Amino acid sequence: MKRISVAQPTLNGNEKKYVMDCLETNWISSVGKYIGAFEEAFAAFCGVKHAIATNNGTTALHLALVAMDLRPGDEVIVPTVTYIATANAVRYCGATPVLVDVHAETMNIDPAEIERKITEKTRGIIPVHLYGHPAEMETINAIAKRHGLWVLEDAAEAHGAEVSGKKVGTFGTCATFSFFGNKIVTTGEGGMVTTNDDALAAKLRLFRGQGMDLARRYWFPVVGYNYRMTNIQAAIGLAQMETVEKSISDRAQIASWYDEALANLRTQIVLPAPVASVKQVYWMYNIFLREGNGARRDAVMRAMDEMGIETRPVFYPMHVMPPYFESVKYPVADLWSPRGINLPTHQGLTKDDVERIAFSLKQALLG
Ligand SMILES: *Cc1c(COP(=O)(O)O)cnc(C)c1O
């Protein structure tokens, strides 16, 4: 029986045609028509004024923090459960990520815990739309406004997710996306910063291109970075944007197959609960064991692996890993993150695949 991977890219549109165009015309580096076209398509998709492409999602985060002038000694509020790049980007600026506990199930930052962590050094908040489920942007923006902070949405996992009918990437001062190979939209490696702020967009473009003055070639008013995306990456990205609505609806379909196939395991596992005001895009379909610890979860994942099903653990909280270790407890993250499993979620899955995954999970839970 074929192995089912947890994630894989879907490249069945114009990807090949546009990449061949780059090769045939010699425009393979970070100048070329696909970069602007991809940026425009992405901005239009989100409903935001500016989209600035970068070479990956981590550099998009770092670039956004640099452009917002984050400095050593500053503090930034970050959820303790996220992919490590969120916290690392803060550290790249010499600033300190200040961790906040999360909600069970969505694993998104708990706004009720944010204000306790704000000090006079706090500059901003980075809510992460984890696994495709939007964070509570209205509440978070209100907190930020009250304290004069910026908001950077880490939307790396949530292309097309919505809050009250409005797409993520439009709520914060700016937002960042990733186009890594396992993300909902991919360019192999790639990233994007979105913003409605003209002055911030100009700074993002300046710092992305080594700090070169956009109106005066080879004049460098600041120390910038080479975080440019290539035309080849953008060619893939543009093709991906032509099929993005289908990518999102396919994932919703897969999630509903999972809901159905796993319904009879509800006494043992927690399934994703729909939240009325949001559209979640299922970068990963997650389940949580109702009982037990990380060792039991790992045993379930091992048993599934032996049945040919690849899964992944829900992210370890930042505060348990060496670079960000804290002995303080984050009760929700500490209880639920070790019980969480990402089930395979990608557009290549069939209903039969989902049923096979559900069956293997059921077997694994018996063991
Ligand atoms: C993938 C991801 C990133 C980093 O993106 P890369 O393109 O891999 O550098 C940042 N934040 C989150 C939440 C992610 O999932």
Side-chain angles (χ1 to χ4, degrees), residues 324-337:
Y324 301 104
F325 184 80
E326 288 178 27
S327 49
V328 292
K329 301 287 178 216
Y330 293 83
V332 181
D334 289 333
L335 181 64
W336 288 104
S337 142

Side-chain angles (χ1 to χ4, degrees), residues 18 46 73 213 363:
Y18 295 165
C46 294
D213 193 327
Q363 296 298 304

Side-chain angles (χ1 to χ4, degrees), residues 56-59 61 82-83 85-86 128 130 154 156-157 178-180 182-183 189-190 283 315:
N56 63 62
T58 308
T59 56
L61 278 165
T82 180
Y83 179 56
T86 319
V128 183
L130 210 66
D154 184 344
E157 307 179 355
S178 165
F179 307 117
F180 183 62
N182 65 11
K183 299 286 162 79
E189 294 272 6
W283 177 53
F315 296 124

Side-chain angles (χ1 to χ4, degrees), residues 79-97:
T80 191
V81 180
T82 180
Y83 179 56
I84 197 147
T86 319
N88 283 353
V90 173
R91 278 276 180 87
Y92 297 163
C93 297
T96 305

Side-chain angles (χ1 to χ4, degrees), residues 77 111 113-125 139-151:
I77 303 283
E113 296 291 310
I114 291 176
E115 261 174 324
R116 287 197 304 116
K117 293 290 190 103
I118 294 175
T119 73
E120 71 276 9
K121 293 180 184 164
T122 311
R123 297 289 169 263
I125 306 172
T139 313
I140 292 164
N141 277 351
I143 295 168
K145 199 167 170 202
R146 208 152 52 232
H147 294 272
L149 308 175
W150 47 252
V151 174

Side-chain angles (χ1 to χ4, degrees), residues 127-302:
V128 183
H129 307 304
L130 210 66
Y131 298 117
H133 194 292
E136 290 148 274
M137 290 315 301
E138 284 129 345
T139 313
I140 292 164
N141 277 351
I143 295 168
K145 199 167 170 202
R146 208 152 52 232
H147 294 272
L149 308 175
W150 47 252
V151 174
L152 195 184
E153 296 169 68
D154 184 344
E157 307 179 355
H159 318 67
E162 295 176 6
V163 180
S164 308
K166 204 174 140 205
K167 288 221 167 51
V168 302
T170 62
F171 289 90
T173 313
C174 61
T176 60
F177 291 83
S178 165
F179 307 117
F180 183 62
N182 65 11
K183 299 286 162 79
I184 297 172
V185 173
T186 187
T187 60
E189 294 272 6
M192 193 75 84
V193 187
T194 58
T195 183
N196 281 313
D197 181 328
D198 298 341
L200 183 59
K203 271 184 151 179
L204 289 162
R205 291 186 187 281
L206 174 72
F207 283 103
R208 173 183 66 175
Q210 211 73 272
M212 187 163 80
D213 193 327
L214 292 168
R216 189 177 175 192
R217 289 182 77 206
Y218 294 94
W219 182 258
F220 300 90
V222 295
V223 175
Y225 301 85
N226 176 0
Y227 284 172
R228 295 181 299 258
M229 175 178 272
T230 68
N231 201 41
I232 296 176
Q233 287 171 287
I236 298 171
L238 182 66
Q240 290 269 297
M241 293 314 292
E242 293 168 354
T243 54
V244 66
E245 299 298 346
K246 181 162 167 35
S247 305
I248 291 168
S249 61
D250 283 357
R251 284 168 180 273
Q253 172 68 266
I254 289 158
S256 71
W257 288 335
Y258 270 127
D259 288 343
E260 201 184 314
L262 298 174
N264 61 358
L265 294 180
R266 273 185 192 280
T267 53
Q268 295 180 71
I269 59 173
V270 181
L271 303 182
V275 176
S277 59
V278 311
K279 175 177 174 182
Q280 98 112 306
V281 286
Y282 297 100
W283 177 53
M284 289 287 159
Y285 187 98
N286 297 330
I287 58 109
F288 294 87
L289 307 182
R290 287 191 188 273
E291 307 270 331
N293 54 15
R296 174 158 181 259
R297 185 268 310 272
D298 293 349
V300 168
M301 290 176 56
R302 251 193 326 273

